[in-house]
Amino acid sequence: METVLFFIIVGIISTLFGKAKRTQGHSPKKPFTANGMEDIRTLFKELANEGAEQIRPKKTEQNKELAQEKMKNIEQEYLQVRQESEASRTGMAAARLQNEKLENQTIKPRQAESEPMISKEPDSNTVINGIIWGEILGEPRSKKPYFARKG
């Protein structure tokens, strides 16, 4: 009973102090005006225009000539790389043909058709492999219970 009364008193005191803090710190909300934003926008636009003028280089005859020279150099490099790639491609094709010829010569012919694939007298390894494959491919253990079910 005493603890309940203590908690009630603490709750009342905390709500009173909470209301006092809220009324001191708050001021009425001011409506948002777009006029301040317009001033900021115009300022940024002016700064952007000034910066763009400083950044942009003035086009001159020299700049045009330099650009043309760079384009010529790039075209020459492209032609060189293209010729090298064509040469390497033809070299690779010739090497591939030689490899194919060598493979055709070194491939062993298949076994004679007269020899049977399955022998009539298997050795111990083939019997063991047959048992293993029979267990793998056979009926699952759950289908073959150890004890007969009484029904």
Side-chain angles (χ1 to χ4, degrees):
M1 179 77 169
E2 294 171 353
T3 56
V4 173
L5 187 62
F6 176 73
F7 283 120
I8 292 173
I9 292 172
V10 170
I12 292 170
I13 292 173
S14 65
T15 56
L16 291 175
F17 282 114
K19 287 182 182 177
K21 285 183 180 178
R22 281 186 243 137
T23 57
Q24 289 175 359
H26 278 311
S27 60
K29 292 184 178 179
K30 296 179 182 176
F32 178 76
T33 59
N35 293 338
M37 293 301 289
E38 289 177 13
D39 295 338
I40 293 172
R41 285 183 189 143
T42 55
L43 179 65
F44 274 111
K45 286 180 182 177
E46 290 173 2
L47 289 174
N49 289 337
E50 290 175 9
E53 290 173 1
Q54 293 174 358
I55 293 172
R56 290 183 195 140
K58 296 179 180 178
K59 294 185 178 180
T60 61
E61 297 282 332
Q62 294 175 347
N63 288 342
K64 289 180 184 179
E65 290 174 5
L66 289 173
Q68 289 175 354
E69 288 178 19
K70 287 181 182 179
M71 285 299 291
K72 287 179 184 178
N73 290 339
I74 291 171
E75 289 174 1
Q76 290 174 356
E77 290 176 13
Y78 169 73
L79 291 174
Q80 288 176 353
V81 169
R82 186 174 175 186
Q83 290 173 355
E84 290 172 2
S85 65
E86 287 176 2
S88 65
R89 221 178 309 152
T90 56
M92 289 171 39
R96 191 178 314 128
L97 288 174
Q98 288 177 354
N99 287 339
E100 288 176 2
K101 288 179 184 177
L102 289 175
E103 287 175 2
N104 290 338
Q105 293 173 357
T106 58
I107 292 177
K108 296 178 182 176
R110 291 182 100 185
Q111 292 179 346
E113 304 258 347
S114 61
E115 292 182 26
M117 294 290 278
I118 300 171
S119 63
K120 293 181 181 176
E121 297 175 10
D123 60 341
S124 61
N125 285 337
T126 55
V127 172
I128 292 171
N129 285 339
I131 292 170
I132 292 171
W133 279 107
E135 288 294 322
I136 292 171
L137 298 174
E139 214 176 344
R141 184 70 199 128
S142 62
K143 299 286 183 178
K144 299 185 284 184
Y146 288 108
F147 304 106
R149 294 183 183 172
K150 295 180 182 178

